[in-house]
Amino acid sequence: MRRHYATIKDIAHALNISVSTVSRALRDTYDVSADTRKLVLDMAAKLNYKPNFNATGLVKNSTHNLAVILPGITNYYFSTVFTGIQEIAYSHNYNIILYVTNDDAGRELNIIRNLSFSSLDGLLVSVSSQAGSCDHFQEIIDDGIPVVFFDRVAADIRTSKVMQDDYNGAFEATTHLIANGYKKIAHIAGPEGLTFTDSRLNGYLDALRRNGMPIRKKWIIHSGFTQECGENDMEKLWKLNDKPDAVFAVNDRKAVGAIVTLKKKNIAVGKDVGVIGFTNDPMSAIISPSLSTIAEPAFEIGKKSCQLLLNHIKKKNFIPEEIILPGKLIVRESSIRS
Amino acid sequence: MRRHYATIKDIAHALNISVSTVSRALRDTYDVSADTRKLVLDMAAKLNYKPNFNATGLVKNSTHNLAVILPGITNYYFSTVFTGIQEIAYSHNYNIILYVTNDDAGRELNIIRNLSFSSLDGLLVSVSSQAGSCDHFQEIIDDGIPVVFFDRVAADIRTSKVMQDDYNGAFEATTHLIANGYKKIAHIAGPEGLTFTDSRLNGYLDALRRNGMPIRKKWIIHSGFTQECGENDMEKLWKLNDKPDAVFAVNDRKAVGAIVTLKKKNIAVGKDVGVIGFTNDPMSAIISPSLSTIAEPAFEIGKKSCQLLLNHIKKKNFIPEEIILPGKLIVRESSIRS
DNA sequence: AAATCCACCGGTAACGTTCTCGGTGAATTT
DNA sequence: AAATTCACCGAGAACGTTACCGGTGGATTT
């Protein structure tokens, strides 16, 4: 029993003027007198007129919709990035269609394939970690759809990207551990093949090299991003004969997992074994001992990527930009030998 | 430089048949032979045809879009509910347009006013806590747009609602504190005027009455939902001459705030002062002492509300349902006197 | 006074799709 | 053999909006 919404025709009919004039009046473009314009606007308000985006989208070949594709939304980082995106989109009157892939490459592909670009102006995406090929993104870009990657970017695709400074953050985190007297530093990393996993790994390795610290293959463990993964990784490390005395985790959730495992073993986190994470998830301040970390500018990343996308949309042939935002070391209890 | 996507006309032209036939073939409806159907589908695949939702939406007056309006997405509860919603929407090929209000009633109103119902099949909403009037929702429902409320519902509006069992959860939480020997139980509540704030308050009050425990006005504090609010509320409670020996918080974030404040004052949480929360935010397991809580079925709430909305959309004149899902007491360290 | 200009408005086609209806020819019934 | 049915297909209108172009009448120029 859906009520018929007032259309532009209804306004025209009520005012006994033409449809074209109403259209022009509503958009406040050329060729319409102030008087009729006022008449139209008043009548529009009176009839509770709402523009039909399907119709405008059809003729203008542009809706005000952006799609965002994320691995998941139930964690601090992505939900904060999304909030940033939303903030910019809202202020520019764009709507956001959100898809979550659950970090499943198959689902990601399926979502992409079913995307209707006729009702989409652009695409913001952070790729799934089980990334297979990225050809589907390339196709979209070749079709002329503006795409911006953030955080988890597809390396070999030429379009705008925005991310945090993963390399330097990891470098700083590792250096901080070294400065605090830890000598055998492990790294529990993310899944292989993801750009930022590599960057953080390299930052870690270079910090070790720069300071003449030992690098052990066994001290580097790749797995997923969850707390549980962190717990498992820590268990593995502790089974080693040559145990590390500190660990740099690729993110805070894994670092929290590491701390949980260490506490279970009655090992004094900070004193016996140092831990540092990456993200500045609120959890890092709550856990005790509290977790040192590299704060990521998640909100800014969201805002920046959305702004970039809007630029892409406005100017065709926009030159892709890569933006890298710096992180910030936050020292708490877990990395201090006192 | 956006490439022209293949349309139904292109397929028709390439096959030298009529547009109508192609349309029917693609939708697999009546009056089309198996042969031509195959021809059409093959050609569609070959031309990389994608349906234009603006066009279908225009003629069918129905898109496959759902709008979700949330106070915020950066917390466990809402992000999990959203994931549930997304799960159902995805399996039914619906897209979700997500709006976050930042718990700002003005922004909520503005979003609602600008909603284009011509490109929306339905609406899922959890209202902002600074709720003023809810007339704007009533208008939408009167216009025949299917709306489902969840969690933070608008009490006096007749449409489907799904929520957790706030009253019984609060009752159980409070009873649990009593059973563990706490005698002076405070409640740090949510903002007044919100349905579930009231329900949890009432559950708390009834549990006290049932057990003949004292009720003090000063032990009940209303404020926002953040951890900071929880910290402030706890500070206030501790300034009282007649201090409580336990506190039931309206959610886990506030409970965490309370624990943080108590720890700062070197008060033994659990032993000296009991604390229990509501939600089962992952944080509750991380903080130490770990936080007892009532686990909310957030994911199920999301799924259920989306299912309900889809039912609304399918059958016009669907009779509104109110669904209440039970919570579950989870006992951890913060509420045990041992 | 004729020619030109300008502000304003209307008619029509188009966007991509679906729906309704009418029209084929072949197969089946009488 | 005529009448009826049936499976299949096409033509045209419609959805709500914008873009394009042409046409008014009045004011300004020459």
Side-chain angles (χ1 to χ4, degrees):
Chain A
M1 267 339 73
R2 195 140 160 183
R3 203 163 72 183
H4 169 76
Y5 272 102
T7 74
I8 218 173
K9 288 183 189 172
D10 297 328
I11 300 179
H13 191 254
L15 256 37
N16 204 24
I17 58 177
S18 83
V19 180
S20 339
T21 308
V22 177
S23 173
R24 268 168 296 170
L26 287 173
R27 277 171 301 143
D28 193 15
T29 50
Y30 57 103
D31 272 6
V32 52
S33 74
D35 291 354
T36 46
R37 187 169 134 69
K38 179 161 168 36
L39 279 174
V40 169
L41 291 186
D42 288 350
M43 184 56 77
K46 187 178 161 198
L47 297 181
N48 191 25
Y49 166 78
K50 306 201 172 187
N52 186 315
F53 290 161
N54 286 320
T56 55
L58 191 55
V59 29
K60 306 230 290 190
N61 199 26
S62 123
T63 57
H64 260 208
N65 294 338
L66 269 29
V68 174
I69 302 182
L70 286 179
I73 189 77
T74 59
N75 68 62
Y76 167 78
Y77 180 80
F78 282 126
S79 59
T80 306
V81 171
F82 179 84
T83 307
I85 294 173
Q86 170 82 35
E87 218 54 38
I88 298 298
Y90 176 70
S91 68
H92 288 78
N93 265 306
Y94 274 79
N95 304 310
I96 298 187
I97 305 182
L98 176 58
Y99 299 93
V100 333
T101 66
N102 295 342
D103 231 339
D104 174 346
R107 183 156 170 176
E108 178 179 287
L109 188 66
N110 192 36
I111 288 172
I112 301 274
R113 290 252 173 273
N114 285 312
L115 238 37
S116 168
F117 295 108
S118 48
S119 50
L120 241 42
D121 288 359
L123 202 54
L124 278 162
V125 18
S126 183
V127 303
S128 118
S129 67
Q130 325 172 330
S133 117
C134 279
D135 297 348
H136 42 299
F137 289 117
Q138 190 59 57
E139 282 177 30
I140 293 173
I141 294 171
D142 291 345
D143 284 351
I145 312 290
V147 175
V148 171
F149 286 103
F150 63 91
D151 186 48
R152 306 196 191 168
V153 305
D156 41 339
I157 291 187
R158 191 169 164 280
T159 188
S160 285
K161 300 166 189 176
V162 15
M163 43 210 153
Q164 51 280 341
D165 192 340
D166 294 305
Y167 174 86
N168 281 313
F171 189 92
E172 197 176 355
T174 311
T175 307
H176 165 73
L177 287 175
I178 297 169
N180 274 269
Y182 303 100
K183 306 238 179 270
K184 296 148 62 173
I185 301 171
H187 178 37
I188 52 184
E192 275 171 301
L194 227 48
T195 316
F196 85 80
T197 299
D198 293 346
S199 304
R200 294 185 191 177
L201 176 60
N202 288 332
Y204 157 82
L205 290 173
D206 282 356
L208 294 183
R209 291 191 191 106
R210 179 79 59 90
N211 291 276
M213 307 293 286
I215 294 178
R216 300 260 181 287
K217 270 244 168 122
K218 299 217 164 184
W219 289 349
I220 300 170
I221 301 186
H222 288 276
S223 70
F225 288 120
T226 65
Q227 176 181 334
E228 202 186 341
C229 292
E231 295 177 19
N232 294 336
D233 292 356
M234 194 68 229
E235 287 287 356
K236 277 187 197 159
L237 286 176
W238 214 248
K239 287 210 179 78
L240 260 37
N241 290 329
D242 193 9
K243 294 179 178 47
D245 67 353
V247 27
F248 161 51
V250 71
N251 70 2
D252 284 350
R253 282 181 289 158
K254 293 192 77 166
V256 164
I259 292 181
V260 166
T261 301
L262 289 170
K263 281 170 76 173
K264 234 181 258 166
K265 297 186 186 303
N266 281 319
I267 295 157
V269 175
K271 193 169 182 318
D272 296 339
V273 176
V275 178
I276 191 166
F278 210 116
T279 298
N280 200 25
D281 191 304
M283 239 183 228
S284 59
I286 295 300
I287 195 169
S288 65
S290 57
L291 174 66
S292 299
T293 190
I294 304 290
E296 291 180 286
F299 190 71
E300 276 70 32
I301 288 180
K303 281 170 60 173
K304 201 71 204 172
S305 11
C306 194
Q307 278 163 347
L308 229 51
L309 182 62
L310 293 182
N311 288 345
H312 261 276
I313 291 171
K314 269 188 207 103
K315 316 177 197 169
K316 46 197 169 192
N317 290 337
F318 178 81
I319 299 150
E321 288 183 25
E322 287 199 16
I323 295 182
I324 296 182
L325 298 175
K328 188 173 179 309
L329 173 66
I330 297 188
V331 179
R332 296 204 182 91
E333 299 166 352
S334 67
S335 62
I336 298 293
R337 276 214 161 130
S338 60
Chain B
M1 269 335 76
R2 195 141 160 183
R3 204 164 71 183
H4 169 77
Y5 273 101
T7 74
I8 218 172
K9 287 183 188 172
D10 297 327
I11 301 179
H13 191 254
L15 258 36
N16 204 24
I17 58 177
S18 83
V19 179
S20 338
T21 308
V22 176
S23 173
R24 266 168 298 170
L26 287 173
R27 276 171 302 141
D28 193 15
T29 50
Y30 57 104
D31 275 5
V32 51
S33 74
D35 290 355
T36 45
R37 185 168 136 69
K38 179 162 168 39
L39 279 174
V40 169
L41 291 187
D42 288 352
M43 184 56 76
K46 187 178 162 199
L47 297 181
N48 191 24
Y49 167 77
K50 305 203 171 188
N52 186 315
F53 289 161
N54 287 320
T56 55
L58 191 55
V59 30
K60 306 230 290 189
N61 198 25
S62 123
T63 57
H64 260 207
N65 293 339
L66 269 28
V68 173
I69 301 182
L70 286 178
I73 188 78
T74 60
N75 68 62
Y76 167 77
Y77 180 80
F78 283 126
S79 59
T80 307
V81 170
F82 180 84
T83 308
I85 294 174
Q86 170 83 33
E87 219 53 40
I88 298 298
Y90 176 70
S91 66
H92 287 78
N93 265 306
Y94 274 78
N95 303 311
I96 298 188
I97 304 183
L98 177 57
Y99 299 93
V100 333
T101 65
N102 294 343
D103 231 337
D104 174 346
R107 182 155 171 177
E108 179 179 287
L109 188 67
N110 192 34
I111 289 171
I112 301 275
R113 290 252 173 272
N114 284 313
L115 239 36
S116 167
F117 295 107
S118 47
S119 50
L120 241 42
D121 288 359
L123 201 55
L124 278 162
V125 18
S126 183
V127 302
S128 120
S129 66
Q130 325 171 329
S133 116
C134 280
D135 297 348
H136 41 301
F137 289 117
Q138 190 60 58
E139 280 177 31
I140 293 172
I141 294 171
D142 291 345
D143 284 352
I145 312 290
V147 175
V148 171
F149 286 103
F150 63 91
D151 186 46
R152 308 195 191 169
V153 305
D156 41 338
I157 291 187
R158 193 169 163 280
T159 188
S160 285
K161 299 166 189 176
V162 13
M163 43 209 154
Q164 52 279 341
D165 193 339
D166 294 304
Y167 174 86
N168 280 313
F171 188 92
E172 199 176 355
T174 311
T175 306
H176 166 74
L177 288 175
I178 297 171
N180 274 269
Y182 303 101
K183 307 239 179 268
K184 296 149 60 172
I185 301 171
H187 178 37
I188 53 183
E192 276 172 300
L194 227 48
T195 315
F196 86 81
T197 299
D198 293 346
S199 303
R200 294 185 190 178
L201 176 60
N202 287 332
Y204 156 81
L205 290 173
D206 282 357
L208 294 184
R209 290 192 192 105
R210 180 79 58 91
N211 291 276
M213 307 293 287
I215 295 178
R216 299 260 181 285
K217 270 243 166 120
K218 300 214 164 184
W219 288 350
I220 300 171
I221 301 186
H222 288 277
S223 71
F225 288 120
T226 66
Q227 176 182 333
E228 203 187 342
C229 292
E231 296 178 18
N232 294 337
D233 292 356
M234 194 68 228
E235 287 287 357
K236 277 187 198 161
L237 285 175
W238 215 248
K239 286 208 180 81
L240 261 36
N241 291 329
D242 192 10
K243 296 181 176 48
D245 67 354
V247 27
F248 161 52
V250 71
N251 69 3
D252 283 351
R253 283 180 289 157
K254 294 193 76 168
V256 164
I259 292 181
V260 166
T261 302
L262 288 170
K263 282 169 77 174
K264 235 181 259 166
K265 297 186 186 301
N266 281 320
I267 293 157
V269 174
K271 192 170 183 316
D272 296 340
V273 175
V275 179
I276 190 165
F278 209 116
T279 298
N280 199 26
D281 191 305
M283 240 183 227
S284 59
I286 294 300
I287 195 170
S288 65
S290 58
L291 174 66
S292 300
T293 190
I294 303 291
E296 291 180 284
F299 190 71
E300 277 69 32
I301 288 179
K303 282 171 59 174
K304 201 70 205 173
S305 13
C306 194
Q307 279 162 347
L308 227 53
L309 182 63
L310 292 182
N311 289 344
H312 261 276
I313 291 171
K314 269 189 207 104
K315 314 177 198 167
K316 48 198 169 189
N317 291 337
F318 179 79
I319 300 151
E321 287 181 25
E322 287 199 16
I323 295 182
I324 296 183
L325 298 174
K328 189 171 178 310
L329 174 67
I330 295 188
V331 179
R332 297 203 181 90
E333 298 166 352
S334 67
S335 62
I336 298 293
R337 277 212 160 129
S338 59

